[in-house]
Amino acid sequence: MEPTPVLYRAEPTDLAGHRLTVQIQITSPQTDGQVLSLPAWIPGSYLIRDFSRQIESIAAFSGEKPVSIRKLDNHRWQCEPCEGPLSVQYQVYAWDLSVRGAHIDQTHAFFNGTSALLAVEGQTEQPCLLELAANEDMEDWQVYTSLPEATGLPGAAERYGFGLYRASNYDELIDHPIEMGTPQVISFFAHGAEHELVFTGVIPNLDLPRIARDVEKICAEQIAFFEPETRRAPFLDCSSRYVFMTMVTDDGYGGLEHRASTALMASRRDLPTQGQDKSVKTAGYQTFLGLVSHEYFHTWNVKRIKPAAFAPYDLSRENHTRLLWVFEGFTSYYDDLLLLRSSVLDETDYLKLLAKNINAVERGPGRFKQSTAQSSFDAWTRYYKQDENSPNALVSYYSKGALIALGLDLCIRSLTQQAKSLDDVMLLMWERYGRDFYQGKPHGIPEDAMPALILEATGYDATDFIARYVEGCEDLPLKPWLAEQGLKLEWQAASKLPSLNARLRQSAGQCQLATVFTDGAAHQAGLSAGDALIAIDGLRVSDTASLERLLTAYEPGQTVQVHAFRRDELHCFTLQLARPARDECVLSRQP
């Protein structure tokens, strides 16, 4: 006898007030009082989000009889015992314009299940049905999601329609975000698998065909990378298609991966429009394509190949792992590399992107204080909670993780005379941990397994490499490694102006110090992050451009008087200007 599905119903009931009403029908509640819970975080974004704080009201009923319900802790509720069936109804405030939560207004509705759909504890392995409903203000809206339609059941949704959708369990239910509205949409096929590009927001003259052509190349390249023989897309185990859901704003950027879709945020200015020169990919468009490539690569690396700490997730608390340098770092390496391999970018553009990432790591003094493995473990409390001192104290498991992947690739290629590469490591990880992840009992990569995996896949003993560059804080010697592959790495100063050794920002009409680098000129002078520069040697600083104009009159080593406001107090500092740092990487192909 098949288990009875848990039935959910979700309807945006107040578009102007940004509210989503959810109902849950539970046929056989727990006899000692049904417990319901909402995830505390969403996979792929390693911070406790406390989504439950947005539940404004909640009530329970057995038939027409009210059932009392009490909150147990931050994320859980318990209903009083009842014979059943049990109905629970609640309202979610949905005004989080991000890829992580829920956002509803008169133009669209978007939500992740982690922020809106309560888990029925004790029944999370049972099948789930989700009814998506529309009110009278959503007359022209359609539904875009990779969640399969409940075909064959009464009330089943048709493609893009409201109605019933299905999931094999709660974990699958919350891993398919949902977009409702009237977006711009285009579809394409890569190795026979359907993909949809969905763009929400005002984007005049968006060049959908051009984006589809480029993204198709990226998807086809990645499918062929992991499955060179079958060319089978992994998401076909749970969905008929892959959906890219992009929310377009003035300056948005971000992405979050799911098993058969991704939620993206992009800047309007980064997307190509009709009439633009199609032979040129602007830096902004390259950024968007890199984001697409990154999140799509996660379909394999992190959604199916996982660290053991994520197999399965415990969404009630932090799940610590020291391996995010593999799952985010390797993905950050391959996202741009596969743009090159798919011919979406040429080598010149690729080397510029690679140099940009090397710059990002080189300019962060925190890399000498925190290892990449520590950065992974501390993502919950440090990387996702950055402040003005973070560049001095942290290293990114994304950016340095990508350089570690590059370094491993170069070392493997050198040792094996190009016969093996990091590709072989990824394919072994896919075969052993990823390909059948959702088909049986999930298992992930143990914390200490990477040296043995690399050795088995390539013959390269990476024990010392990982000890020095992953568990330790050493810089990777990329220059000689790249030279072996015919690439020249040079360092130059990004500016000829003397330096304050600080990052600047324009805020509220003031030139402020965003970060003061440890032991740099500003630090030695006594300046602090947040100080607003007012004058240099009595001449006004009104913005970052005026500061640069003033600095053209000085040489490194000269001393200047700096007036700055700290809060509402005026201070005067004596600062010795530093030499501009040679921290800009330039890569070029050697004969």
Side-chain angles (χ1 to χ4, degrees):
M1 183 176 178
E2 294 186 2
T4 304
V6 179
L7 176 60
Y8 293 80
R9 185 181 189 274
E11 179 183 352
T13 48
D14 181 2
L15 301 184
H18 323 301
R19 289 178 176 86
L20 180 74
T21 297
V22 181
Q23 295 176 338
I24 310 176
Q25 299 290 338
I26 307 165
T27 302
S28 302
Q30 293 170 317
T31 56
D32 56 348
Q34 181 62 56
V35 176
L36 303 107
S37 61
L38 197 65
W41 61 285
I42 182 169
S45 183
Y46 307 112
L47 180 68
I48 297 298
R49 300 285 176 182
D50 292 318
F51 295 118
S52 58
R53 74 189 189 280
Q54 302 298 0
I55 294 181
E56 294 184 324
S57 61
I58 186 169
F61 302 88
S62 179
E64 296 184 0
K65 179 184 176 182
V67 173
S68 67
I69 184 169
R70 65 189 180 96
K71 198 167 187 181
L72 299 177
D73 52 38
N74 287 348
H75 316 293
R76 297 186 303 149
W77 292 258
Q78 185 173 31
C79 302
E80 68 173 321
C82 65
E83 294 184 359
L86 177 68
S87 174
V88 179
Q89 179 172 314
Y90 55 97
Q91 274 198 333
V92 179
Y93 180 67
W95 196 232
D96 175 16
L97 187 59
S98 76
V99 297
R100 299 176 298 271
H103 186 268
I104 294 173
D105 63 13
Q106 296 92 328
T107 66
H108 86 126
F110 169 85
F111 69 89
N112 286 285
T114 45
S115 63
L117 303 178
L118 288 168
V120 180
E121 296 200 355
Q123 301 186 36
T124 54
E125 292 305 314
Q126 291 186 202
C128 300
L129 293 173
L130 172 61
E131 179 188 357
L132 296 175
N135 63 41
E136 62 276 9
D137 296 322
M138 302 162 59
E139 182 178 356
D140 299 327
W141 289 20
Q142 292 185 308
V143 174
Y144 301 89
T145 179
S146 55
L147 190 64
E149 299 88 358
T151 305
L153 294 180
E158 298 181 354
R159 177 67 67 92
Y160 308 126
F162 291 88
L164 282 178
Y165 292 78
R166 62 174 174 81
S168 59
N169 52 42
Y170 178 76
D171 182 63
E172 182 178 347
L173 176 70
I174 61 175
D175 208 8
H176 295 271
I178 292 162
E179 172 72 26
M180 311 178 198
T182 57
Q184 298 185 55
V185 183
I186 192 169
S187 298
F188 63 86
F189 286 84
H191 295 304
E194 186 178 4
H195 297 68
E196 287 178 348
L197 291 162
V198 179
F199 291 90
T200 299
V202 180
I203 325 115
N205 296 317
L206 181 65
D207 195 341
L208 280 173
R210 180 184 182 187
I211 299 173
R213 286 193 299 271
D214 288 332
V215 177
E216 178 186 349
K217 293 177 184 177
I218 297 167
C219 296
E221 184 70 29
Q222 295 197 18
I223 293 170
F225 172 78
F226 281 100
E227 296 289 359
E229 295 183 2
T230 66
R231 305 292 173 99
R232 186 180 188 275
F235 54 82
L236 294 177
D237 60 13
C238 64
S239 181
S240 62
R241 65 197 185 280
Y242 188 96
V243 184
F244 294 93
M245 305 177 199
T246 305
M247 182 69 197
V248 181
T249 64
D250 179 56
D251 58 355
Y253 180 81
L256 195 63
E257 66 277 0
H258 298 276
R259 66 181 68 185
S261 61
T262 181
L264 308 173
M265 290 196 73
S267 170
R268 190 174 294 108
R269 70 197 75 170
D270 288 348
L271 300 175
T273 55
Q274 299 171 24
Q276 286 183 340
D277 185 351
K278 291 180 173 54
S279 66
V280 176
K281 289 185 173 66
T282 64
Y285 187 39
Q286 290 181 32
T287 296
F288 173 73
L289 293 175
L291 177 63
V292 166
S293 181
H294 184 98
E295 300 305 329
Y296 194 68
F297 196 84
H298 274 319
T299 311
W300 293 267
N301 194 34
V302 95
K303 292 312 300 181
R304 288 163 177 83
I305 311 168
K306 298 177 186 281
F310 293 173
Y313 296 113
D314 181 348
L315 296 178
S316 68
R317 60 172 182 84
E318 298 97 334
N319 293 192
H320 293 284
T321 175
R322 297 174 71 84
L323 291 176
L324 292 181
W325 60 275
V326 174
F327 295 94
E328 294 294 353
F330 281 23
T331 302
S332 295
Y333 173 58
Y334 276 103
D335 57 18
D336 288 340
L337 182 59
L338 290 166
L339 296 183
L340 173 65
R341 291 183 183 177
S342 64
S343 300
V344 171
L345 294 185
D346 60 24
E347 185 179 83
T348 299
D349 286 334
Y350 171 70
L351 292 179
K352 289 178 181 178
L353 291 176
L354 182 57
K356 182 179 179 181
N357 191 56
I358 295 172
N359 292 341
V361 176
E362 179 73 17
R363 292 169 182 172
R367 72 188 191 280
F368 297 122
K369 298 179 182 178
Q370 184 189 50
S371 73
T372 317
Q374 290 171 330
S375 176
S376 300
F377 192 86
D378 290 339
W380 302 86
T381 55
R382 300 187 71 186
Y383 187 79
Y384 271 86
K385 294 183 178 180
Q386 295 196 32
D387 57 26
E388 69 284 345
N389 190 54
S390 292
N392 291 318
L394 306 182
V395 69
S396 167
Y397 51 77
Y398 285 89
S399 53
K400 189 174 181 185
L403 296 191
I404 288 168
L406 169 64
L408 277 171
D409 202 0
L410 296 172
C411 288
I412 294 167
R413 290 174 183 273
S414 177
L415 175 74
T416 64
Q417 287 77 52
Q418 313 297 327
K420 297 287 184 178
S421 71
L422 191 64
D423 293 1
D424 296 281
V425 180
M426 288 303 313
L427 293 177
L428 178 61
M429 290 163 56
W430 171 241
E431 178 183 353
R432 185 163 299 170
Y433 294 98
R435 183 179 286 126
D436 300 323
F437 185 84
Y438 291 118
Q439 309 307 314
K441 185 177 180 180
H443 65 289
I445 297 178
E447 293 292 296
D448 59 352
M450 287 308 298
L453 281 170
I454 295 168
L455 181 63
E456 179 181 351
T458 67
Y460 175 59
D461 184 353
T463 304
D464 181 64
F465 181 103
I466 290 175
R468 296 172 66 180
Y469 308 121
V470 176
E471 298 290 345
C473 297
E474 291 187 42
D475 277 341
L476 292 102
L478 293 178
K479 186 170 184 175
W481 291 350
L482 287 166
E484 289 189 33
Q485 304 298 323
L487 293 171
K488 184 177 182 181
L489 187 157
E490 297 176 291
W491 292 102
Q492 63 184 25
S495 170
K496 296 181 180 180
L497 297 176
S499 175
L500 276 60
N501 299 138
R503 288 182 181 172
L504 305 172
R505 67 171 174 233
Q506 196 69 26
S507 177
Q510 296 178 321
C511 179
Q512 291 185 342
L513 301 182
T515 296
V516 172
F517 292 118
T518 301
D519 296 328
H523 178 197
Q524 297 290 347
L527 285 152
S528 298
D531 289 352
L533 301 183
I534 301 301
I536 301 288
D537 281 347
L539 295 176
R540 186 175 68 176
V541 174
S542 56
D543 52 27
T544 53
S546 66
L547 175 62
E548 290 179 357
R549 287 194 297 270
L550 288 173
L551 291 177
T552 60
Y554 296 92
E555 297 289 336
Q558 287 189 279
T559 298
V560 296
Q561 296 298 310
V562 178
H563 282 84
F565 272 113
R566 181 171 298 170
R567 300 179 298 278
D568 59 348
E569 300 171 0
L570 184 63
H571 295 265
C572 183
F573 304 91
T574 301
L575 183 147
Q576 186 177 25
L577 295 167
R579 292 187 179 278
R582 292 175 58 84
D583 60 359
E584 182 168 295
C585 171
V586 178
L587 294 174
S588 58
R589 169 65 66 186
Q590 296 297 99

